[in-house]
Coordinates of all heavy atoms in Angstrom, one line a residue:
N996 N -21.1 36.0 -103.6 CA -22.3 35.6 -103.0 C -22.3 35.7 -101.4 O -23.3 35.8 -100.8 CB -22.6 34.1 -103.4 CG -23.1 34.0 -104.9 OD1 -23.5 35.0 -105.4 ND2 -22.9 32.9 -105.5
S997 N -21.0 35.5 -100.9 CA -20.9 35.5 -99.4 C -21.1 36.8 -98.9 O -21.5 37.1 -97.7 CB -19.5 34.9 -98.9 OG -18.6 35.8 -99.3
L998 N -20.9 37.8 -99.8 CA -21.1 39.3 -99.4 C -22.4 39.9 -99.6 O -22.6 41.1 -99.4 CB -20.0 40.2 -100.2 CG -18.6 39.7 -100.1 CD1 -17.7 40.5 -100.9 CD2 -18.1 39.8 -98.6
A999 N -23.4 39.0 -99.9 CA -24.7 39.5 -100.0 C -25.7 38.6 -99.3 O -25.4 37.4 -99.0 CB -25.1 39.4 -101.5
I1000 N -26.9 39.1 -98.9 CA -27.8 38.3 -98.2 C -28.4 37.1 -99.0 O -28.3 37.2 -100.2 CB -28.9 39.1 -97.5 CG1 -29.7 39.8 -98.7 CG2 -28.4 40.0 -96.5 CD1 -30.9 40.6 -98.1
M1001 N -29.0 36.1 -98.4 CA -29.5 34.9 -99.1 C -30.4 35.2 -100.2 O -31.2 36.3 -100.1 CB -30.1 33.9 -98.0 CG -31.3 34.5 -97.4 SD -31.9 33.4 -96.1 CE -32.5 32.0 -97.1
K1002 N -30.4 34.4 -101.2 CA -31.1 34.8 -102.5 C -32.6 34.2 -102.6 O -33.4 34.8 -103.1 CB -30.3 34.3 -103.8 CG -28.9 34.6 -103.7 CD -28.6 36.0 -104.0 CE -27.2 36.4 -104.2 NZ -27.0 37.8 -104.5
D1003 N -32.6 33.0 -102.1 CA -34.0 32.2 -102.4 C -35.0 32.4 -101.3 O -36.2 32.1 -101.6 CB -33.6 30.7 -102.5 CG -32.9 30.4 -103.8 OD1 -33.1 31.3 -104.8 OD2 -32.2 29.5 -103.9
G1004 N -34.8 32.8 -100.2 CA -35.7 32.9 -99.1 C -35.7 34.2 -98.4 O -34.9 35.1 -98.7
Q1005 N -36.5 34.4 -97.3 CA -36.5 35.6 -96.6 C -35.4 35.7 -95.7 O -35.2 34.7 -94.9 CB -37.9 35.8 -95.9 CG -38.0 37.1 -95.2 CD -39.4 37.2 -94.4 OE1 -40.3 36.3 -94.6 NE2 -39.6 38.3 -93.8
A1006 N -34.7 36.8 -95.7 CA -33.5 36.9 -94.9 C -33.9 37.5 -93.5 O -34.6 38.5 -93.5 CB -32.5 37.9 -95.6
V1007 N -33.5 36.9 -92.4 CA -33.8 37.3 -91.1 C -32.5 37.8 -90.5 O -31.3 37.9 -91.1 CB -34.3 36.2 -90.2 CG1 -35.7 35.7 -90.8 CG2 -33.4 35.0 -90.1
F1008 N -32.4 38.2 -89.3 CA -31.4 38.9 -88.7 C -30.1 38.0 -88.6 O -29.0 38.5 -88.8 CB -31.7 39.3 -87.3 CG -30.6 40.3 -86.7 CD1 -30.6 41.7 -87.0 CD2 -29.7 39.8 -85.7 CE1 -29.6 42.4 -86.5 CE2 -28.7 40.6 -85.2 CZ -28.7 41.9 -85.7
T1009 N -30.2 36.7 -88.4 CA -29.2 35.8 -88.3 C -28.5 35.8 -89.7 O -27.2 35.6 -89.8 CB -29.5 34.4 -87.8 OG1 -30.7 33.9 -88.6 CG2 -29.9 34.4 -86.4
N1010 N -29.2 35.8 -90.7 CA -28.6 35.7 -92.1 C -27.9 37.1 -92.3 O -26.8 37.1 -92.9 CB -29.7 35.6 -93.1 CG -30.6 34.5 -93.1 OD1 -31.8 34.5 -92.9 ND2 -30.0 33.3 -93.2
L1011 N -28.3 38.2 -91.8 CA -27.6 39.5 -91.9 C -26.4 39.5 -91.1 O -25.3 40.0 -91.7 CB -28.6 40.6 -91.4 CG -28.1 42.1 -91.6 CD1 -28.1 42.3 -93.1 CD2 -29.1 43.0 -91.0
E1012 N -26.4 38.9 -89.9 CA -25.1 38.8 -89.1 C -24.1 37.9 -89.9 O -22.9 38.3 -89.8 CB -25.4 38.1 -87.8 CG -24.3 38.1 -86.9 CD -24.2 36.9 -85.9 OE1 -25.1 35.9 -86.1 OE2 -23.5 36.9 -85.0
K1013 N -24.5 36.9 -90.4 CA -23.5 36.1 -91.2 C -22.9 36.8 -92.3 O -21.7 36.7 -92.6 CB -24.2 34.8 -91.7 CG -23.4 33.8 -92.5 CD -24.2 32.6 -92.9 CE -23.2 31.6 -93.7 NZ -24.0 30.4 -94.1
C1014 N -23.8 37.6 -93.0 CA -23.3 38.3 -94.1 C -22.3 39.4 -93.8 O -21.2 39.6 -94.4 CB -24.5 39.0 -94.9 SG -24.0 40.1 -96.3
Y1015 N -22.6 40.1 -92.6 CA -21.6 41.0 -92.0 C -20.3 40.4 -91.7 O -19.3 41.0 -92.0 CB -22.2 41.7 -90.8 CG -23.0 42.8 -91.0 CD1 -24.3 42.8 -90.6 CD2 -22.5 44.0 -91.6 CE1 -25.2 44.0 -90.8 CE2 -23.2 45.1 -91.9 CZ -24.6 45.2 -91.5 OH -25.3 46.2 -91.7
I1016 N -20.2 39.3 -91.2 CA -19.1 38.6 -90.8 C -18.1 38.4 -92.0 O -17.0 38.6 -92.0 CB -19.3 37.2 -90.0 CG1 -19.9 37.5 -88.8 CG2 -17.9 36.4 -90.0 CD1 -20.4 36.3 -88.0
Y1017 N -18.7 38.0 -93.1 CA -18.0 37.8 -94.4 C -17.5 39.1 -94.9 O -16.5 39.3 -95.5 CB -18.9 37.1 -95.4 CG -19.1 35.6 -95.3 CD1 -20.3 35.1 -95.1 CD2 -18.0 34.8 -95.4 CE1 -20.5 33.8 -94.8 CE2 -18.0 33.4 -95.2 CZ -19.4 32.9 -94.9 OH -19.5 31.6 -94.8
R1018 N -18.3 40.2 -94.8 CA -18.0 41.5 -95.2 C -16.9 42.1 -94.4 O -16.0 42.9 -94.9 CB -19.1 42.4 -95.2 CG -20.2 42.2 -96.4 CD -21.3 43.2 -96.3 NE -21.8 43.3 -97.7 CZ -21.6 44.3 -98.5 NH1 -21.0 45.4 -98.1 NH2 -22.1 44.4 -99.7
Y1019 N -16.8 41.9 -93.1 CA -15.8 42.4 -92.2 C -14.3 42.1 -92.8 O -13.4 42.9 -92.5 CB -16.0 42.0 -90.8 CG -17.2 42.6 -90.1 CD1 -17.7 42.0 -89.0 CD2 -17.7 43.9 -90.6 CE1 -18.9 42.6 -88.3 CE2 -18.7 44.4 -89.8 CZ -19.4 43.8 -88.8 OH -20.3 44.4 -88.1
I1020 N -14.2 40.9 -93.3 CA -12.8 40.5 -93.9 C -12.3 41.6 -94.8 O -11.1 41.9 -94.7 CB -13.0 39.1 -94.6 CG1 -13.5 38.1 -93.6 CG2 -11.5 38.8 -95.2 CD1 -12.5 37.9 -92.4
F1021 N -13.3 42.2 -95.6 CA -12.8 43.3 -96.5 C -13.0 44.6 -95.9 O -12.0 45.5 -96.0 CB -13.7 43.1 -97.8 CG -13.5 41.8 -98.5 CD1 -14.2 40.8 -98.3 CD2 -12.3 41.8 -99.5 CE1 -14.0 39.6 -99.0 CE2 -12.3 40.6 -100.2 CZ -13.1 39.5 -99.9
A1022 N -14.1 44.9 -95.3 CA -14.4 46.2 -94.8 C -13.6 46.6 -93.6 O -13.2 47.9 -93.4 CB -15.9 46.3 -94.3
K1023 N -13.2 45.7 -92.9 CA -12.3 45.9 -91.7 C -10.9 45.2 -91.9 O -10.2 44.8 -90.9 CB -12.9 45.4 -90.4 CG -14.1 46.1 -90.0 CD -14.7 45.5 -88.7 CE -16.0 46.2 -88.3 NZ -15.7 47.5 -87.6
G1024 N -10.5 45.1 -93.1 CA -9.4 44.3 -93.5 C -8.0 44.7 -93.0 O -7.8 46.0 -92.8
I1025 N -7.1 43.9 -92.8 CA -5.8 44.2 -92.4 C -4.9 43.8 -93.5 O -5.0 42.7 -94.0 CB -5.3 43.4 -91.1 CG1 -6.2 43.8 -90.0 CG2 -3.8 43.7 -90.7 CD1 -6.0 42.9 -88.7
E1026 N -4.0 44.7 -93.9 CA -3.1 44.4 -95.0 C -2.0 43.4 -94.7 O -1.5 43.2 -93.6 CB -2.4 45.8 -95.4 CG -3.4 46.9 -96.0 CD -2.6 48.0 -96.7 OE1 -1.4 47.9 -96.8 OE2 -3.3 49.0 -97.1
S1027 N -1.7 42.6 -95.7 CA -0.7 41.5 -95.7 C 0.7 42.1 -95.5 O 1.0 43.2 -96.0 CB -0.8 40.6 -96.8 OG -2.0 40.1 -97.1
Q1028 N 1.5 41.4 -94.7 CA 2.9 41.9 -94.5 C 3.7 41.6 -95.8 O 4.5 42.5 -96.2 CB 3.6 41.2 -93.3 CG 3.0 41.6 -92.0 CD 3.7 40.8 -90.9 OE1 4.4 39.8 -91.1 NE2 3.6 41.4 -89.7
K1029 N 3.4 40.6 -96.5 CA 4.2 40.2 -97.8 C 3.1 40.7 -98.9 O 2.2 40.0 -99.2 CB 4.5 38.7 -97.8 CG 5.4 38.2 -96.8 CD 5.8 36.7 -97.0 CE 6.8 36.2 -96.0 NZ 7.1 34.8 -96.2
K1030 N 3.7 41.7 -99.6 CA 3.0 42.2 -100.7 C 3.4 41.7 -102.0 O 4.6 41.2 -102.1 CB 3.1 43.8 -100.8 CG 2.6 44.5 -99.5 CD 1.1 44.5 -99.4 CE 0.7 45.2 -98.2 NZ 0.9 46.6 -98.1
I1031 N 2.5 41.7 -103.1 CA 3.0 41.3 -104.4 C 2.9 42.6 -105.3 O 2.3 43.5 -105.0 CB 2.2 40.2 -105.0 CG1 0.6 40.7 -105.2 CG2 2.2 39.0 -104.0 CD1 -0.2 39.8 -106.0
N1032 N 3.6 42.4 -106.5 CA 3.5 43.4 -107.5 C 2.2 43.4 -108.3 O 2.0 42.4 -108.9 CB 4.7 43.3 -108.5 CG 4.8 44.6 -109.4 OD1 4.1 45.5 -109.2 ND2 5.6 44.4 -110.3

């Protein structure tokens, strides 16, 4: 839900900006130093 724009109302630019910030964690992600199998 955090990776998509708001559901119940009209999304304005600030809503879009917030969505981008959540998406950047994945889209611009940095790999962890400690990996798991």
Side-chain angles (χ1 to χ4, degrees):
N996 288 338
S997 74
L998 302 176
I1000 57 175
M1001 61 185 295
K1002 310 288 186 179
D1003 288 334
Q1005 184 175 356
V1007 295
F1008 190 79
T1009 51
N1010 302 118
L1011 189 61
E1012 184 210 15
K1013 183 178 179 181
C1014 180
Y1015 270 122
I1016 290 170
Y1017 284 116
R1018 279 179 159 259
Y1019 286 156
I1020 298 302
F1021 296 92
K1023 296 176 179 282
I1025 299 172
E1026 294 191 2
S1027 302
Q1028 291 183 340
K1029 292 183 179 180
K1030 302 288 180 65
I1031 66 168
N1032 185 10

